[in-house]
Amino acid sequence: MRITVLGSGSWGTTVASVLTRRDHESLIWARNEATADEINAKHSNDRYLAGFPLPERLRATADLAEAAAHAELLVVGVPTGAFRDTLELARPNLHPWIPVVSLSKGLERDSLLRMTEVIKEVLPGHPAAALTGPNLAKEIMAGMAAATVIATEDLTVATEIQRIFRRGLLRVYTNHDVIGCEVGGALKNVVAIATGIAQGLGVGDNTRAGVISRGLAELTTLAVAMGGEPATLAGLAGMGDLVATCISPHSRNRHVGEQLGRGRSLADILGEMGQVAEGVKTVHAAVQLADRHGLAMPITRTIHRVVTGEITALRAYDGLLRTLPAGHESEPG
């Protein structure tokens, strides 16, 4: 199958590599022409995946029209802030009805839409799916075992995409609960910032475990309020992705939180990263969704106050010393 991956970051490049090794004719679109040239000539992407050789059969282009026209399956791995614009630019050259799979974990800031909802708005008639789960790019490139979820309401489409992506130690599951899968993938980045702050402050593993557990309760509450199923958040797209993102040194969102916990400014942290930490943007939309559904979501709201500069990371953890008693574990807070 001819597959196009839009986005040459670490995850987009990894997915394109996996698909190429499954003997698909994969083409990756890079916004930067120098990156496309490097992939074609040197079979590497040193900015995002230094030290990992790419398949020689993997091709790259900086021409979005060429990339779109090539696709019998379109995979979109650009940051959420560029997701809609990229699809709109690709639309004139796409074949009709081809499935579109989102790799991007976040929410559109102004509309508060999930990425599959953006796909449906921009590309009506195209089946929309999300690939999500605990998928750290460098571990998959290193050949380590991993599990992922392809989420779409039409399980016939999901099963076909599952067949396309499955390879070696990458185990691909299907799930019909797109809301639960996408909310889990988006909100876990916010919780990872909180967990990173705990790491940076050196407040202990008990605290980090508490933040992860209560964070899972928050993202489950929001997902269910939006129409998702609670069981989904106990699986790969919820707890699995949350744990990986909160504990891994490869996690960009955890890194942002850790540096905030050490007293650095958000602008300095993001300026040196050269990559997008989706949780920084997602938290704005998450707070608005919490307001819409009348949810407390204290961790999310606290990280929003940190990101906006209202309070420091240290001040955020003063909340752990609140004198109000904790309620039932099933309740927020």
Side-chain angles (χ1 to χ4, degrees), residues 129-143:
L131 185 76
T132 188
N135 304 142
L136 296 163
K138 291 183 179 180
E139 291 189 2
I140 292 175
M141 289 295 291

Side-chain angles (χ1 to χ4, degrees), residues 47-267:
R47 179 177 179 182
Y48 296 107
L49 290 171
F52 292 98
L54 306 181
E56 293 188 5
R57 291 179 55 244
L58 174 61
R59 294 194 305 112
T61 181
D63 185 335
L64 184 55
E66 176 191 358
H70 172 268
E72 294 174 327
L73 171 68
L74 185 68
V75 180
V76 189
V78 300
T80 56
F83 199 94
R84 180 182 292 272
D85 288 347
T86 302
L87 287 184
E88 288 177 344
L89 291 171
R91 180 173 53 197
N93 295 286
L94 282 177
H95 300 294
W97 317 122
I98 67 168
V100 181
V101 178
S102 166
L103 304 180
S104 305
K105 297 176 180 178
L107 301 165
E108 193 170 50
R109 181 162 179 173
D110 294 331
S111 70
L112 312 185
L113 294 178
R114 296 173 284 110
M115 293 303 102
T116 58
E117 293 179 304
V118 176
I119 292 171
K120 291 176 181 179
E121 274 198 1
V122 179
L123 302 173
H126 290 263
L131 185 76
T132 188
N135 304 142
L136 296 163
K138 291 183 179 180
E139 291 189 2
I140 292 175
M141 289 295 291
M144 298 179 185
T148 192
V149 175
I150 187 72
T152 185
E153 292 92 346
D154 188 333
L155 288 181
T156 301
V157 174
T159 300
E160 181 61 20
I161 297 174
Q162 176 190 46
R163 182 190 65 79
I164 292 167
F165 276 83
R166 185 176 57 234
R167 182 184 186 275
L169 295 178
L170 180 62
R171 191 168 181 84
V172 184
Y173 294 84
T174 61
N175 197 318
H176 63 279
D177 180 16
V178 183
I179 295 173
C181 287
E182 286 194 290
V183 171
L187 268 293
K188 57 92 183 183
N189 287 323
V190 176
V191 180
I193 294 174
T195 310
I197 290 174
Q199 178 73 14
L201 290 171
V203 295
D205 291 339
N206 287 334
T207 303
R208 290 199 299 159
V211 171
I212 293 171
S213 298
R214 298 311 300 164
L216 178 61
E218 278 194 21
L219 60 89
T220 301
T221 300
L222 179 59
V224 171
M226 293 173 64
E229 301 173 12
T232 300
L233 284 304
L236 290 168
M239 182 177 69
D241 202 3
L242 178 67
V243 170
T245 308
C246 287
I247 69 173
S248 173
H250 301 306
S251 166
R252 285 170 281 183
N253 292 281
R254 175 188 177 277
H255 172 77
V256 168
E258 185 171 352
Q259 296 303 306
L260 286 170
R262 293 178 178 177
R264 299 186 60 201
S265 74
L266 182 62

Side-chain angles (χ1 to χ4, degrees), residues 25-47:
E25 188 180 334
S26 302
L27 177 66
I28 188 166
W29 174 73
R31 187 181 303 275
N32 188 320
E33 190 168 354
T35 301
D37 291 342
E38 179 190 352
I39 293 172
N40 289 327
K42 299 180 179 180
H43 313 297
S44 64
N45 186 346
D46 283 344
R47 179 177 179 182

